[in-house]
Amino acid sequence: MHVRSGDTPLQTPEQLDGRFKLVAGLYAAALLSPAVLGLATPWLGSVSWPVTLGLLGAVGAVLTATVAWTVSRQSEFVAWLDSPWIAFLVPAIGILPISLYLFDVFLFVAFAVTDLQPDTAANLIGFVGFVAGIAATLLGEYLVLRARTQLANATVDDTDVAVEWTAGWPRRARLWFMIGTLVVIGLLAGVAFWRLGWRGVTTVLPFGPVLVIALRSVVSERTHRATSVGLERRRDGRWLGPRRLIPWSKVDGFSVTDDAIILHRALPHVDIRCQRNLIDDEAVVAALNTHLDRRDT
């Protein structure tokens, strides 16, 4: 496949915005604070809940400030987050503490409402770690979106747009894609139960909702803009929403079917499909022909 447009590198912003740096610090703190303090539980013993929460807050504040300061000096960090595997792993890593601390949540609730045994720092740290894992998943997703938006803002000239259209996947393709996703999750859960029992299932299943949400985002409606640099995509058609720029060199041509225009991409990327009856397909095809080879002719 030959891409006629040059491989123009994405431009990193000269300065990262303050909110992005803060979220990067909070993300690291949510992941690491319970683990760091958990290493000290043999020495904490049955320390009271207020003291434990204070220690968690202190560790979290130090981690937040350290990571935010480090990120502020590395504007290339946003380009690193645009990598497909990194973009998946950053929010997905938050599922690990959710799985690891799930049993501690049950213990914490049981000890909180009964007098089975004295309260311990370990139970509270596990409970906080579970909640922090949920927060880390959400913060990780935000980091990836903001990183890609800053790359697009720094690279795209808004006057250099050949055509703009809004569309998502055709209904039939969307349905089969989601069915395939659920089948894969079910198979993974079955293998986990076969090899590890219920403990394995509780470890695998939390990844299911995150995977479904992520893949549902893939097939949802987006606003697309064809520029000389690449294809820009905006989530949910919102002009000020999260943006992503895909260089033409990362697209392996396009094809046109009865119900969709398909932009092909190599794994682990998923092809981009746009429902034809929602757009001016002739204008879109003409713009894509300028930069990509058509594969169905």
Side-chain angles (χ1 to χ4, degrees), residues 164-186:
E164 177 178 320
W165 70 97
T166 300
W169 281 39
R171 182 177 300 177
R172 181 180 299 178
R174 187 183 311 173
L175 176 62
W176 281 111
F177 186 73
M178 297 308 296
I179 289 175
T181 299
L182 294 176
V183 169
V184 170
I185 294 173

Side-chain angles (χ1 to χ4, degrees), residues 155-173:
T155 306
V156 174
D157 182 353
D158 287 341
T159 63
D160 180 27
V161 178
V163 65
E164 177 178 320
W165 70 97
T166 300
W169 281 39
R171 182 177 300 177
R172 181 180 299 178

Side-chain angles (χ1 to χ4, degrees), residues 106-219:
F106 295 126
L107 290 178
F108 175 79
V109 173
F111 297 151
V113 300
T114 68
D115 296 324
L116 293 177
Q117 71 176 49
D119 302 324
T120 64
N123 301 143
L124 180 58
I125 292 172
F127 179 81
V128 173
F130 177 86
V131 176
I134 298 175
T137 300
L138 299 175
L139 291 170
E141 176 67 14
Y142 177 84
L143 273 181
V144 172
L145 294 177
R146 287 304 304 164
R148 288 173 168 171
T149 298
Q150 291 185 77
L151 284 174
N153 290 342
T155 306
V156 174
D157 182 353
D158 287 341
T159 63
D160 180 27
V161 178
V163 65
E164 177 178 320
W165 70 97
T166 300
W169 281 39
R171 182 177 300 177
R172 181 180 299 178
R174 187 183 311 173
L175 176 62
W176 281 111
F177 186 73
M178 297 308 296
I179 289 175
T181 299
L182 294 176
V183 169
V184 170
I185 294 173
L187 289 174
L188 290 176
V191 171
F193 176 74
W194 174 50
R195 301 297 298 178
L196 302 173
W198 286 110
R199 183 67 177 178
V201 175
T202 58
T203 301
V204 171
L205 283 183
F207 286 91
V210 174
L211 184 60
V212 170
I213 292 171
L215 295 180
R216 185 178 182 276
S217 174
V218 169
V219 304

Side-chain angles (χ1 to χ4, degrees), residues 34-268:
V36 170
L37 200 60
L39 296 175
T41 51
W43 295 275
L44 293 176
S46 57
V47 171
S48 65
W49 289 5
V51 173
T52 303
L53 288 175
L55 291 173
L56 281 167
V59 173
V62 171
L63 287 171
T64 299
T66 301
V67 172
W69 179 82
T70 303
V71 168
S72 69
R73 304 172 65 86
Q74 303 290 334
S75 61
E76 297 81 4
F77 183 63
V78 292
W80 181 71
L81 284 175
D82 189 46
S83 168
W85 287 114
I86 298 299
F88 171 76
L89 288 174
V90 166
I93 286 175
I95 304 298
L96 292 177
I98 294 176
S99 302
L100 293 174
Y101 294 126
L102 182 59
F103 186 68
D104 290 305
V105 171
F106 295 126
L107 290 178
F108 175 79
V109 173
F111 297 151
V113 300
T114 68
D115 296 324
L116 293 177
Q117 71 176 49
D119 302 324
T120 64
N123 301 143
L124 180 58
I125 292 172
F127 179 81
V128 173
F130 177 86
V131 176
I134 298 175
T137 300
L138 299 175
L139 291 170
E141 176 67 14
Y142 177 84
L143 273 181
V144 172
L145 294 177
R146 287 304 304 164
R148 288 173 168 171
T149 298
Q150 291 185 77
L151 284 174
N153 290 342
T155 306
V156 174
D157 182 353
D158 287 341
T159 63
D160 180 27
V161 178
V163 65
E164 177 178 320
W165 70 97
T166 300
W169 281 39
R171 182 177 300 177
R172 181 180 299 178
R174 187 183 311 173
L175 176 62
W176 281 111
F177 186 73
M178 297 308 296
I179 289 175
T181 299
L182 294 176
V183 169
V184 170
I185 294 173
L187 289 174
L188 290 176
V191 171
F193 176 74
W194 174 50
R195 301 297 298 178
L196 302 173
W198 286 110
R199 183 67 177 178
V201 175
T202 58
T203 301
V204 171
L205 283 183
F207 286 91
V210 174
L211 184 60
V212 170
I213 292 171
L215 295 180
R216 185 178 182 276
S217 174
V218 169
V219 304
S220 63
E221 188 176 88
R222 302 289 181 92
T223 292
H224 306 77
R225 301 202 299 174
T227 74
S228 62
V229 181
L231 180 72
E232 181 196 317
R233 309 182 74 206
R234 295 179 187 269
R235 177 166 292 187
D236 298 330
R238 294 173 292 179
W239 183 254
L240 296 178
R243 307 168 66 184
R244 185 185 181 188
L245 182 63
I246 303 172
W248 295 121
S249 60
K250 303 299 182 182
V251 182
D252 298 333
F254 77 102
S255 59
V256 181
T257 66
D258 292 338
D259 61 353
I261 296 176
I262 306 172
L263 284 79
H264 302 281
R265 298 194 291 170
L267 294 174

